[in-house]
């Protein structure tokens, strides 16, 4: 935080008026099923992004991203998406979200600080958006609801992107030592304590170049959503009040109208919802073995049904099982693909005694695959907040 303030002062010759901290995050299970109004289990982590803002007396907005050593600028009267502005477009989108909603916004000098660059995933771009919006909200005195509306306008109208509420809820409402569950059907969230003892959480950027082997947008066609809707059943005893049909005969009959690839991915969506509920149950019971089994099953279907894994990710996931020969029956850890888009990252949750052993495996990973991975030891963190300085 000291570095952010000092850099902001050197850059703009003024101290920040406000300094906002927003956590990074990763999704544990359910990040690919939001369009079906399912659920997403996420965790905010202590990989913060800081946004420092000083109000100007004109309409100029200047940006400085410290780690990228990049500076951008624009004018409030001419906010436009520019491809070459890359990360700065996310900040401009949030400003646009307020100005297009009728709020009076002054020019600003803005400093961004993040140990993790947006390209890695881990929720850094969302954290930058939410941190900027929260800072503007604090300066102009609008309500939280108005801030959420501004974020949505910025995402949809300026960036032409989706408004992914699981990302936003994790950045805003997460609590320390907890996971956050987003229900996309009701746009609500629940906080679930993460109370496993002697456990380490590692995020690994495998540095594998991202390539899309298929177009996920094809899965989100209305007809596919309707098919899955036919397979939803109201169940009062199930967390959230419903589950997907489990009869193979019924499932195959409903999905017989789509090709094999699409049917496989739709079945994956159905299983993901089941695994979200199973993970929630394990968290509530503080049953670490069941939690790990559920995460491992989710990774299996991401690899075998959704087809988004790769040999490098599979290798990293498999290493967690090397620490305990009884891992299938009573696992002491789990790992799964996560990250931006189809992901090039994994999260690993394992006994603390095994954390260093896992990190040592990354040396072997680099030798085998030729990619230099980054590994971050993290813990569950709280949501966006103003910093005292």
């Amino acid at each position: 935080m000291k570095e952010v303030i000092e850099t902001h002062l050197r850059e703009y010759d003024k101290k920040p008026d406000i300094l906002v901290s927003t956590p990074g995050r990763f999704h544990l299970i359910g990040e690919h099923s939001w369009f079906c109004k399912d659920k997403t289990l996420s965790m905010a982590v202590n990989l913060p992004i800081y946004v420092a803002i000083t109000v100007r007396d004109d309409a100029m907005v200047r940006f400085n991203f410290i780690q990228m050593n990049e500076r951008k600028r624009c004018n409030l009267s001419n906010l436009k998406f520019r491809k070459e502005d890359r990360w700065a477009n996310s900040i401009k989108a949030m400003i646009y979200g307020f100005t297009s909603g009728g709020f009076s916004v002054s020019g600003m000098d803005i400093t961004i600080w993040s140990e993790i660059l947006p390209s890695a995933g881990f929720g850094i771009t969302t954290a930058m958006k939410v941190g900027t919006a929260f800072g503007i909200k604090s300066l102009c005195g609008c309500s939280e609801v108005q801030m959420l509306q501004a974020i949505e306008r910025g995402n949809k109208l300026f960036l032409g992107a989706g408004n992914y509420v699981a990302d936003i809820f994790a950045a805003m409402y997460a609590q320390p030592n907890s996971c956050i569950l987003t229900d996309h059907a009701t746009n609500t969230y629940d906080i679930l304590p993460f109370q496993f003892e002697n456990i380490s959480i590692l995020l690994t950027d495998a540095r594998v170049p991202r390539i899309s082997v298929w177009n996920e947008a094809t899965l989100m066609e209305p007809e596919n959503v309707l098919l899955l809707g036919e397979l939803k059943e109201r169940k009062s005893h199930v967390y959230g009040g419903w589950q997907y049909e489990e009869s193979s005969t019924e499932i195959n009959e409903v999905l017989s109208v789509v090709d094999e690839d699409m049917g496989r991915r739709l079945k994956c969506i159905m299983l993901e919802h089941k695994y979200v509920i199973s993970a929630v149950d394990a968290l509530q019971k503080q049953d670490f073995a069941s939690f790990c089994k559920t995460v491992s099953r989710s990774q299996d279907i991401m690899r075998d049904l959704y087809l988004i894994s790769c040999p490098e990710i599979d290798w990293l996931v498999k290493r967690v099982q090397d620490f305990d020969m009884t891992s299938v029956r009573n696992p002491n850890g789990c790992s799964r693909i996560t990250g931006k888009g189809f992901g090039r990252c994994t999260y690993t949750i394992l006994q603390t005694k095994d954390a260093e052993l896992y990190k040592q495996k990354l040396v072997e990973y680099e030798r085998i695959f030729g990619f230099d991975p980054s590994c971050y030891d993290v813990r569950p963190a709280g949501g966006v907040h103003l910093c005292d300085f």
Side-chain angles (χ1 to χ4, degrees):
M1 191 166 66
K2 180 181 178 182
E3 180 184 344
V4 182
I5 295 169
E6 290 178 348
T7 303
H8 188 89
L9 179 60
R10 286 196 303 270
E11 183 74 15
Y12 302 118
D13 202 27
K14 289 182 180 179
K15 287 186 176 181
D17 293 323
I18 58 170
L19 180 61
V20 181
S21 175
T22 314
R25 64 99 187 98
F26 67 97
H27 298 307
L28 288 91
I29 305 177
E31 72 269 48
H32 294 284
S33 56
W34 56 269
F35 60 94
C36 289
K37 303 297 182 183
D38 291 358
K39 301 174 179 65
T40 302
L41 184 65
S42 313
M43 182 185 290
V45 294
N46 59 324
L47 294 175
I49 186 165
Y50 291 97
V51 180
I53 303 176
T54 299
V55 176
R56 298 172 57 91
D57 57 7
D58 57 20
M60 180 63 66
V61 183
R62 297 187 293 179
F63 319 97
N64 176 25
F65 198 137
I66 297 175
Q67 282 76 10
M68 297 185 73
N69 193 28
E70 288 187 4
R71 295 163 176 81
K72 307 288 183 180
R73 63 174 57 206
C74 67
N75 194 288
L76 291 174
S77 63
N78 191 30
L79 283 173
K80 291 183 178 180
F81 181 92
R82 296 167 58 90
K83 186 176 181 180
E84 61 269 26
D85 283 346
R86 299 186 298 152
W87 55 270
N89 285 314
S90 294
I91 302 175
K92 290 192 290 184
M94 296 301 99
I95 298 172
Y96 176 87
F98 283 92
T99 58
S100 62
F103 292 95
S104 178
V105 177
S106 300
M108 291 172 278
D109 291 329
I110 300 174
T111 296
I112 304 294
W113 186 101
S114 175
E115 180 183 353
I116 313 298
L117 298 183
S119 59
F122 300 142
I124 300 305
T125 297
T126 297
M128 184 162 53
K129 292 177 184 177
V130 170
T132 301
F134 192 84
I136 296 173
K137 167 189 174 293
S138 303
L139 291 169
C140 71
C142 70
S143 69
E144 186 175 285
V145 170
Q146 290 170 321
M147 170 189 160
L148 290 172
Q149 292 170 343
I151 293 174
E152 183 171 7
R153 283 192 297 271
N155 281 331
K156 291 185 175 181
L157 302 180
F158 190 89
L159 296 175
N163 195 57
Y164 304 111
V165 294
D167 295 357
I168 296 168
F169 283 177
M172 288 192 60
Y173 303 123
Q175 295 181 13
N177 303 314
S178 300
C179 294
I180 183 167
L181 178 73
T182 299
D183 188 331
H184 298 281
T186 58
N187 270 3
T188 58
Y189 67 91
D190 286 333
I191 300 297
L192 302 165
F194 188 86
Q195 296 179 328
F196 303 126
E197 296 182 353
N198 302 316
I199 296 300
S200 292
I201 305 168
L202 305 174
L203 299 181
T204 304
D205 184 348
R207 300 294 177 89
V208 181
R210 282 196 190 89
I211 57 172
S212 296
V213 294
W214 57 278
N215 184 1
E216 193 174 25
T218 61
L219 192 66
M220 305 175 191
E221 295 295 332
E223 54 266 31
N224 293 329
V225 177
L226 290 173
L227 286 176
L228 289 180
E230 291 183 36
L231 294 167
K232 291 182 177 181
E233 297 180 309
R234 291 288 178 186
K235 297 286 185 179
S236 59
H237 66 282
V238 175
Y239 189 92
W242 68 274
Q243 66 182 23
Y244 279 109
E245 170 68 58
E246 295 187 328
S247 167
S248 297
T249 301
E250 181 68 19
I251 293 170
N252 290 334
E253 181 178 344
V254 172
L255 299 184
S256 63
V257 297
V258 299
D259 62 40
E260 184 179 349
D261 285 345
M262 186 62 69
R264 182 173 57 244
R265 288 163 185 151
L266 292 176
K267 288 177 183 177
C268 181
I269 295 296
M270 297 171 63
L271 285 170
E272 269 289 271
H273 184 264
K274 178 181 178 180
Y275 295 154
V276 168
I277 301 305
S278 295
V280 168
D281 183 66
L283 287 170
Q284 292 175 327
K285 294 178 179 177
Q286 298 181 41
D287 184 345
F288 186 62
S290 293
F291 178 83
C292 290
K293 288 178 183 177
T294 299
V295 169
S296 296
R297 288 169 183 152
S298 177
Q299 167 60 25
D300 288 345
I301 63 171
M302 290 296 107
R303 180 193 64 219
D304 299 334
L305 299 181
Y306 217 66
L307 302 181
I308 63 172
S309 193
C310 61
E312 294 86 352
I313 294 295
D314 295 340
W315 190 93
L316 288 171
V317 169
K318 185 70 166 59
R319 300 289 71 77
V320 179
Q321 299 174 6
D322 293 345
F323 303 134
D324 184 1
M325 295 301 292
T326 65
S327 61
V328 174
R329 298 191 299 275
N330 188 33
N332 281 332
C334 56
S335 189
R336 182 187 181 277
I337 190 171
T338 190
K340 186 176 181 181
F342 279 164
R344 70 179 190 194
C345 307
T346 64
Y347 69 85
T348 302
I349 303 175
L350 74 176
Q351 301 286 337
T352 298
K353 64 181 178 62
D354 294 327
E356 286 304 317
L357 293 174
Y358 173 82
K359 293 176 184 178
Q360 292 171 19
K361 296 287 186 180
L362 298 181
V363 177
E364 186 178 356
Y365 168 88
E366 183 178 1
R367 178 180 60 81
I368 295 172
F369 296 104
F371 299 116
D372 180 17
S374 296
C375 187
Y376 307 94
D377 201 330
V378 300
R379 62 181 184 273
V384 62
H385 59 276
L386 291 177
C387 301
D388 294 326
F389 64 97

